[in-house]
Amino acid sequence: MGFDLEAVRITALPEDAFYISDFITEDEENWLLQKVKSAPLPRWTQLSHRRLQTWPSALTKSNALLASPLPAWLRSPIVEPRFEALRIFNDAPHQAPNHVLVNEYQPGQGIMPHEDGAAYYPLVATVSLGAPIVLDVYDKHTQSDRGSGTQIKAGRDVAGMLERNQRPQYRVLQERRSLLITRGKMYTDLLHGIEGTTRDEDLGPDSISNWELLREKEPYQSGWYERKTRTSLTYRDVLQVVKMGNTLKFLGR
């Protein structure tokens, strides 16, 4: 049975963005967080401002994914049955996500504005666990950003923009247990990032694009929220998938 995405469209954003506040249950959230925490230490990559896991593996230098299934805990209950009911990946080349980034953001940690690039089908589905966080959305400010396809280039360019005190054009509050879907212009024409702060401020209906879709508004009535550790599961479809045997033959040549 399908689901009407129009009922959860974030109308304040360019096409297309959708927000489901109660995407998973508290028990499912706790189970998923336990799975994340119990992953072997080598699964974690420590970056300067956060750490992450990559499933089933990192992309190759040519932005390809080695063919391998996602682990069962990342498929159920999120992909099966919920993504299937939403039918959001039906038009993607593999008709399902084949790649997941698990990002952990502790208070004070964030990620510079960036674009996800051409390695993926232009659709991102992000499940938030543990705590809320604000996603900042920016216009691409130079033509050179368009189609760069790399986080590093976009991040460097935007760093200069932020030094000129340009504020995000849109802000999305992602609650724990929620799902944020972005596609179309939201994927191709805009940059997104998370401020490295210990608390999110200026929270209200005039500043948060998905305010009317939130599950709870009371925790933010004061206009700010003290950050706690938030974990995100980012689902995407990598366009180019290669089998291990073909990769070894290529390396052999």
Side-chain angles (χ1 to χ4, degrees), residues 155-213:
R156 285 176 179 167
D157 289 343
V158 173
M161 176 185 72
L162 295 181
E163 288 173 0
R164 295 194 294 272
N165 297 319
Q166 179 164 338
R167 296 173 60 84
Q169 185 170 358
Y170 308 101
R171 301 172 75 218
V172 178
L173 178 54
Q174 296 176 263
E175 299 168 284
R176 51 183 292 200
R177 307 198 309 275
S178 70
L179 172 69
L180 176 65
I181 303 166
T182 56
R183 68 186 187 190
K185 291 181 180 178
M186 278 294 297
Y187 187 96
T188 58
D189 294 358
L190 297 169
L191 304 173
H192 56 278
I194 294 173
E195 184 182 2
T197 182
T198 56
R199 73 180 201 172
D200 288 309
E201 299 181 326
D202 190 23
L203 306 181
D206 296 330
S207 61
I208 299 299
S209 298
N210 61 324
W211 183 261
E212 295 306 319
L213 295 172

Side-chain angles (χ1 to χ4, degrees), residues 65-170:
L65 177 68
L66 298 181
S68 182
L70 291 173
W73 65 273
L74 284 172
R75 296 197 309 270
S76 177
I78 293 176
V79 178
E80 307 153 3
R82 288 182 171 89
F83 282 178
E84 292 176 349
L86 292 171
R87 296 183 293 185
I88 53 177
F89 282 94
N90 278 20
D91 294 331
H94 304 99
Q95 297 187 313
N98 57 15
H99 192 257
V100 179
L101 281 185
V102 180
N103 281 288
E104 180 187 83
Y105 296 93
Q106 296 181 10
Q109 295 181 335
I111 181 171
M112 292 192 69
H114 64 282
E115 58 187 347
D116 289 336
Y120 307 96
Y121 177 74
L123 185 151
V124 181
T126 303
V127 180
S128 293
L129 308 173
I133 209 163
V134 171
L135 181 75
D136 294 325
V137 182
Y138 301 83
D139 267 333
K140 293 183 182 180
H141 64 290
T142 64
Q143 192 68 25
S144 63
D145 286 336
R146 293 187 180 276
S148 66
T150 63
Q151 175 179 323
I152 294 176
K153 185 179 188 305
R156 285 176 179 167
D157 289 343
V158 173
M161 176 185 72
L162 295 181
E163 288 173 0
R164 295 194 294 272
N165 297 319
Q166 179 164 338
R167 296 173 60 84
Q169 185 170 358
Y170 308 101

